Amino acid sequence: MCRKSICQSFIAFLQQSKFVQILENISLKAYNTFGIDVKAAHFAEARSLEELTALLSDARWKAMPVMFLGGGSNVLFTRDFAGLLIKNSIKGIHPIAEDDHYVFLKAYSGEIWHELVLHAIEQNLGGIENLSLIPGTVGAAPMQNIGAYGVELKGVFYCLEALNLQTLHVEIFEAEQCQFGYRESFFKKEGKGKYFILSVTLKLSKHPKFNTTYGAIQTTLDELGEKELSIRAISRAVVHIRNSKLPNPAVIGNAGSFFKNPEVSAEEYIALKNEFPNIPGYYLEDGKVKVPAGWMIEQCGWKGKRIGNTGSHKDQALVLVNYGDAQGDEIYALALEIQKSVQEKFDITISPEVNVI
Ligand code: EPU
């Protein structure tokens, strides 16, 4: 057999066996936006459902923990990971249906979220422009019902496909089954660790309604001289606001908001307002009030404070940063200190939005 045909047979063998390369003892520094230098004992990249199921069916990994990683933008590693870490690189974006008003756009979970936003803007499809520049992948979006500048994913969500990690069958979830809440979903509660989100289908509008309820959007549109309202203009405004307030993880390690904004009852809020007249609060449909954790953290004196290699960001106290070679447990220790002082000053518990591993 000539060398070329040996090569071809080998490639055919790899394709048939859905061979996925396993790397051992690999640094995860480039795979998490905090830039924490921990190691994964085993690391693989899945580029298709077939590669993923081949990996999950392999007896070698049955006895050890398996973890999935998208953009690594919502995770804080405090130690090495002793199992198999699977990087999701399953990609593709395509419309699956449309009517006079909507296009149903399906995106695979390994796509970068902002790439999907840009794709929608290119096609003049409205609904996710306010969610521009949110770091992370499409798969992470329903997991925590991403939200920003007056819009949440649940408003444009149509359905998703998820691989059941027990049966290795793909199941379809509609919005109701996903149990979306503020930075919450079924996949962070009962479904935690049981599913791998494979694709997300969004219902995007051909005749978008613009959402400029979040005050700074209109001001920024004016500042940027955007005279005509369009999804592209809103996206530009959101990108501008984010860039001016939130540190770029490529420059300074961070995972966006470290804590969720806590919700309190209306009575508790009135009591807080009596004691702290300037405390902001947003009334929710269920009568509760969302209180910005960033404001409380700032009032506790943490904003812009640096402790060793970590700190609370100077422009947004809710964002904890890695100034250089911070260890994950150093950042976590700071988070606990901040949590404690908010508890002491306001009698409110703030919980991490970021997954601490
Ligand atoms: N505030 C302060 N000091 C701070 C930060 C905020 O006083 O250091 C005050 C602001 O002045 C404002 C209020 O807190 O009155 C809310 O601040 P902001 O509009 O910046 O929003 P946030 O509640 O701190 C949330 C999301 C962000 C999202 C923005 C805009 C959460 C946990 N965070 O932040 O999402 O970009 O709203 O919609 O809900 C993320 O999840 O990673 C993220 C960045």
Side-chain angles (χ1 to χ4, degrees), residues 18-185:
K18 298 168 191 105
F19 175 86
V20 184
Q21 192 185 16
I22 309 287
L23 301 172
E24 308 290 334
N25 218 19
I26 168 178
S27 166
L28 297 179
K29 192 172 165 70
Y31 293 100
N32 70 98
T33 60
F34 257 126
I36 305 294
D37 194 6
V38 288
K39 289 196 166 64
H42 312 276
F43 179 93
E45 197 165 347
R47 291 182 181 80
S48 64
L49 175 61
E50 289 69 29
E51 285 191 354
L52 179 64
T53 44
L55 271 168
L56 296 173
S57 314
D58 188 326
R60 273 180 298 171
W61 317 120
K62 298 239 154 114
M64 59 173 80
V66 172
M67 181 182 161
F68 302 103
L69 198 63
S73 58
N74 207 35
V75 62
L76 175 64
F77 286 107
T78 57
R79 56 191 152 83
D80 290 341
F81 182 67
L84 171 68
L85 197 138
I86 302 177
K87 165 93 176 80
N88 178 2
S89 293
I90 306 178
K91 298 199 177 198
I93 302 176
H94 52 262
I96 52 166
E98 67 180 289
D99 60 21
D100 290 347
H101 305 286
Y102 299 103
V103 169
F104 295 81
L105 194 63
K106 176 171 176 173
Y108 282 89
S109 52
E111 283 287 346
I112 302 295
W113 172 261
H114 188 61
E115 294 292 326
L116 174 61
V117 174
L118 293 177
H119 182 99
I121 292 171
E122 243 356 275
Q123 311 291 316
N124 204 27
L125 296 173
I128 50 175
E129 57 281 1
N130 293 51
L131 304 179
S132 293
L133 216 61
I134 292 189
T137 52
V138 165
M143 188 75 87
Q144 53 159 346
N145 180 29
I146 55 170
Y149 309 106
V151 171
E152 278 186 340
L153 179 85
K154 72 173 183 184
V156 288
F157 178 88
Y158 183 65
C159 70
L160 64 77
E161 291 176 306
L163 181 73
N164 182 319
L165 298 173
Q166 274 279 298
T167 62
L168 295 189
H169 289 144
V170 174
E171 296 175 18
I172 311 262
F173 285 75
E174 292 181 354
E176 202 174 316
Q177 293 161 282
C178 293
Q179 299 170 25
F180 291 127
Y182 164 61
R183 297 293 197 273
E184 275 299 348
S185 77

